[in-house]
C-alpha cells in the first residue's frame, strides 16, 4: 500500500461507516497501515450510534448520553489509527429491531434519509479532500443491518457525484469478509466463549461476500496493535445492558496469537472489476495505474 502519486505526497482514503465502532471491526488495519505509510485517512460516520446495545455503567455514571460517549470513543479510535479527520454526519441510529422506531426530536434515522441527500453530504467531503479511494460496504451491508445497507447505497451515489463534479477517478472498495472465513472464526470463538442468547450465528451464513467476489486482500498484521486499540476504544460496546459480552467484547478476549491470525487481514470488493479478477494485495496499486 505504498503507492504514491506523481510529484510526491500520499493518497487520500475516505472510509465511510455506519456507526462508531464499525471502523474498528472492518477497516481499522487498512486505515492504520495507510496512515503509517504517509497517506491521508479520513473517517466519515453516518450515525450517532445511540441505538447500540450497551452497559449503562460504561457511560451513565458520568451522566452522559450514549451518543456523546460513542463520539468520544470514536475520537479515541481515530487517534489510535492515525486518522487525520473525523466527520460525523449526525444522523440518528436506525437500530436493529425489526420495527424501526420513530425519528427522535430534531433528527432523522439514517435508514429513512433519502440516498441522494446523504450522498450529497458525503460527496462534499470527498471533494474537500480530493479523495482517491472510498471505503464503503458491500451490498449485503455486511451482516445486514439496515444502516449498513444504506451506507452501501449512499457510498455508491456519493462516488458518482464526486466523479461528475470533479472529473476525477475514484476507486470504491467495499469492505467485506469472505463469509466462510468469518463463519470459521465465529465457530472457533464459540468453542471457547458462549455467545449471548440473542446472537444469531446462522445469520452469518448469509452475510458479507462469497470468496469468489473478493478483489483485495490486505495484510494488516504489522498494524494489529492499532487495530486492537481501535476496538478497545469502543468500551461501551463490549457488553450489553445485562452485562453480557457483545461481539466486540468477545473478540477482544481472543488470545493474542489467535487474534492476530483472525484479524491480520482485511478484505474488499471492487465493483468495477470483473468477476474472477486476480486478488490484489495492494489497496492503491490500481489507483496509481489510473485504472
Amino acid at each position: 500500500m505504498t503507492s504514491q502519486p506523481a510529484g510526491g505526497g500520499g493518497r487520500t482514503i475516505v472510509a465511510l461507516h455506519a456507526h462508531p465502532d464499525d471502523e474498528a471491526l472492518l477497516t481499522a488495519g487498512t486505515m492504520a497501515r495507510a496512515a503509517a505509510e504517509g497517506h491521508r485517512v479520513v473517517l466519515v460516520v453516518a450515525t450517532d450510534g445511540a441505538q447500540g446495545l450497551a452497559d449503562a455503567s460504561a457511560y451513565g455514571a458520568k451522566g452522559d448520553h450514549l451518543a456523546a460517549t460513542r463520539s468520544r470513543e470514536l475520537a479515541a479510535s481515530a487517534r489510535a489509527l492515525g486518522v487525520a479527520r473525523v466527520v460525523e454526519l449526525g444522523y440518528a441510529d436506525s437500530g436493529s429491531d425489526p420495527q424501526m422506531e420513530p425519528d427522535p426530536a430534531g433528527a432523522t434515522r439514517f435508514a429513512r434519509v433519502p440516498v441522494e441527500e446523504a450522498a450529497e453530504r458525503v460527496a462534499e467531503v470527498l471533494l474537500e479532500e480530493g479523495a482517491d479511494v472510498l471505503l464503503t460496504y458491500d451490498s449485503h451491508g455486511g451482516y445486514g443491518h439496515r444502516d449498513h445497507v444504506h451506507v452501501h447505497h449512499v457510498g455508491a451515489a456519493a462516488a458518482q457525484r464526486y466523479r461528475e463534479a470533479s472529473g476525477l477517478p475514484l476507486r470504491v472498495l467495499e469492505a467485506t469478509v469472505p463469509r466462510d472465513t468469518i463463519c470459521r472464526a465465529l465457530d472457533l470463538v464459540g468453542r471457547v466463549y458462549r455467545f449471548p442468547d440473542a446472537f444469531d450465528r446462522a445469520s452469518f451464513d448469509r452475510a458479507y461476500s462469497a470468496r469468489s467476489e473478493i478483489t483485495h486482500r490486505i495484510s494488516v498484521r504489522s498494524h494489529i496493535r492499532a487495530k486492537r486499540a481501535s476496538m478497545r476504544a469502543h468500551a461501551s460496546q463490549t457488553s450489553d445492558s445485562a452485562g453480557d459480552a457483545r461481539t466486540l467484547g468477545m473478540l477482544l478476549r481472543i488470545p493474542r496469537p489467535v487474534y492476530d491470525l483472525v484479524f491480520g487481514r482485511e478484505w474488499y470488493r471492487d465493483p468495477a472489476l470483473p468477476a474472477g479478477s486476480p486478488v490484489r494485495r495492494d489497496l492503491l496499486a490500481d489507483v496509481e495505474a489510473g485504472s
Side-chain angles (χ1 to χ4, degrees):
M1 202 189 300
T2 57
S3 301
Q4 304 285 331
R11 297 289 184 177
T12 297
I13 299 167
V14 176
L16 174 62
H17 285 281
H19 314 98
D21 85 346
D22 288 331
E23 84 290 346
L25 293 165
L26 286 172
T27 66
T30 301
M31 294 162 68
R33 177 176 168 179
E37 292 180 355
H39 303 290
R40 179 173 172 83
V41 178
V42 176
L43 173 58
V44 181
V45 179
T47 81
D48 58 11
Q51 292 292 302
L53 299 175
D55 183 352
S57 66
Y59 64 94
K62 300 178 181 178
D64 289 341
H65 294 293
L66 180 56
T69 296
R70 297 197 72 180
S71 180
R72 285 196 300 274
E73 291 174 345
L74 179 67
S77 169
R79 287 193 297 271
L81 300 176
V83 169
R85 178 188 179 192
V86 178
V87 179
E88 296 177 77
L89 298 182
Y91 295 115
D93 189 343
S94 304
S96 55
D97 291 339
Q99 183 67 37
M100 186 163 44
E101 294 182 11
D103 291 340
T108 304
R109 299 207 183 277
F110 182 54
R112 291 197 178 106
V113 177
V115 168
E116 290 303 321
E117 178 182 324
E120 182 173 359
R121 296 186 62 191
V122 175
E124 288 175 359
V125 176
L126 297 173
L127 287 165
E128 290 168 2
E129 294 290 342
D132 298 290
V133 177
L134 173 64
L135 307 182
T136 180
Y137 299 156
D138 65 16
S139 60
H140 297 105
Y143 63 92
H145 190 293
R146 57 173 66 95
D147 282 335
H148 289 227
V149 174
H150 208 47
V151 161
H152 168 77
H153 296 301
V154 168
Q160 186 59 32
R161 279 177 174 264
Y162 172 80
R163 295 181 187 114
E164 292 172 352
S166 69
L168 297 172
L170 178 70
R171 176 69 64 188
V172 175
L173 294 177
E174 300 172 353
T176 188
V177 180
R179 64 174 64 100
D180 58 331
T181 297
I182 196 169
C183 287
R184 284 201 305 270
L186 289 171
D187 290 341
L188 178 64
V189 173
R191 295 178 184 176
V192 183
Y193 302 105
R194 179 179 176 273
F195 288 115
D197 293 338
F199 182 78
D200 182 7
R201 161 62 184 82
S203 67
F204 287 88
D205 293 327
R206 307 180 297 274
Y208 297 95
S209 301
R211 181 171 291 277
S212 62
E213 298 175 320
I214 302 296
T215 61
H216 290 69
R217 183 173 65 243
I218 308 301
S219 174
V220 299
R221 288 286 294 273
S222 297
H223 303 278
I224 206 74
R225 289 182 182 274
K227 180 165 183 168
R228 196 172 177 90
S230 173
M231 286 188 177
R232 283 178 172 158
H234 295 283
S236 71
Q237 298 303 291
T238 57
S239 60
D240 62 20
S241 58
D244 294 326
R246 296 190 63 209
T247 301
L248 186 60
M250 290 186 293
L251 295 177
L252 285 170
R253 294 179 184 176
I254 298 174
R256 183 60 188 272
V258 179
Y259 180 95
D260 291 4
L261 178 64
V262 172
F263 291 104
R265 291 180 292 182
E266 291 176 348
W267 295 267
Y268 298 89
R269 174 183 178 271
D270 184 341
L273 292 176
S277 296
V279 175
R280 276 78 166 164
R281 290 175 172 79
D282 184 340
L283 192 77
L284 299 174
D286 294 336
V287 175
E288 173 144 41
S291 60

